[in-house]
Amino acid sequence: FYVPVNGMHDYVKGAGGAFSAYADKMVKKSDRLCKHDHEGISVNLLGVTPLDFAYQKSYQKLSENLKAHGIMVNTVWAMDIGEEDYDRIEEADLNLVVSAAGLSMAMILREKLSMPYVIGTPLGEYTERIALRLNDAVKYDLSSLRPKEEAEALVRELKLSDDSYSLAYEMR
């Protein structure tokens, strides 16, 4: 597959398009069962690109912060991703979208795998809030989350690319 880009748009179109194309073409619709062998929950980090997290330690800090709250990182899309990670995407309990580039992939994974997602960047004081939202998203039935259209409108309203700490999925 290919991603149609022409260099006239921001990186979200290209990076987000690549993530979406992968999820659309390579992830099969299924009734997945989480297969992790650890306590707590696990997440895929979506939208970790060199443009948002150029300094390697900055994106590693995301994993460290989540681990401090008992949340394991299953895969990181797309920094340091390896072939083995492609097959493990379904093993996470949910996705954490850390930049606008990962949002469309999260939406496709929610549709194909019924895998919920939370939007936010676990840095500083926001780490605890995001950890609570991740736990809530796993704990409650998916129907308790805002509908897709409402979340998309909130992401646009918050201009998520400018404010990566905003959470689009809040519990009702």
Side-chain angles (χ1 to χ4, degrees):
F1 57 87
Y2 76 101
V3 179
V5 294
N6 61 11
M8 298 304 292
H9 301 282
D10 66 24
Y11 81 97
V12 174
K13 183 165 177 66
F19 293 146
S20 297
Y22 173 81
D24 191 47
K25 303 289 185 205
M26 304 302 287
V27 177
K28 305 293 183 223
K29 189 173 179 92
S30 73
D31 296 323
R32 70 183 177 87
L33 296 172
C34 293
K35 305 172 197 167
H36 58 74
D37 59 356
H38 57 79
E39 296 292 322
I41 64 172
S42 67
V43 299
N44 296 313
L45 295 181
L46 305 183
V48 182
T49 69
L51 292 168
D52 292 306
F53 301 94
Y55 184 57
Q56 185 175 19
K57 289 187 179 185
S58 66
Y59 82 86
Q60 291 172 341
K61 186 71 173 166
L62 303 177
S63 296
E64 292 170 14
N65 289 348
L66 291 170
K67 189 174 183 179
H69 288 276
I71 298 168
M72 302 302 295
V73 173
N74 182 49
T75 61
V76 178
W77 288 77
M79 302 276 278
D80 291 339
I81 195 163
E83 190 174 328
E84 67 280 356
D85 295 320
Y86 296 126
D87 295 332
R88 291 191 8 235
I89 197 164
E90 294 184 29
E91 295 176 17
D93 294 296
L94 70 163
N95 294 307
L96 177 58
V97 180
V98 298
S99 79
L103 183 58
S104 56
M105 183 179 194
M107 291 176 175
I108 291 170
L109 293 173
R110 181 173 181 180
E111 182 180 315
K112 286 189 163 194
L113 304 175
S114 298
M115 184 181 284
Y117 63 91
V118 172
I119 299 170
T121 305
L123 292 172
E125 66 188 64
Y126 296 99
T127 302
E128 186 172 347
R129 288 177 58 202
I130 291 168
L132 289 171
R133 295 308 179 270
L134 291 168
N135 281 294
D136 286 347
V138 170
K139 182 178 172 183
Y140 296 101
D141 187 288
L142 292 179
S143 63
S144 67
L145 294 175
R146 290 183 177 184
K148 176 180 164 184
E149 295 79 20
E150 188 178 338
E152 289 172 341
L154 185 57
V155 168
R156 283 192 302 276
E157 177 186 323
L158 294 173
K159 297 179 183 169
L160 189 63
S161 60
D162 296 332
D163 182 9
S164 60
Y165 297 124
S166 300
L167 298 174
Y169 276 92
E170 295 282 345
M171 300 308 293
R172 289 184 179 167

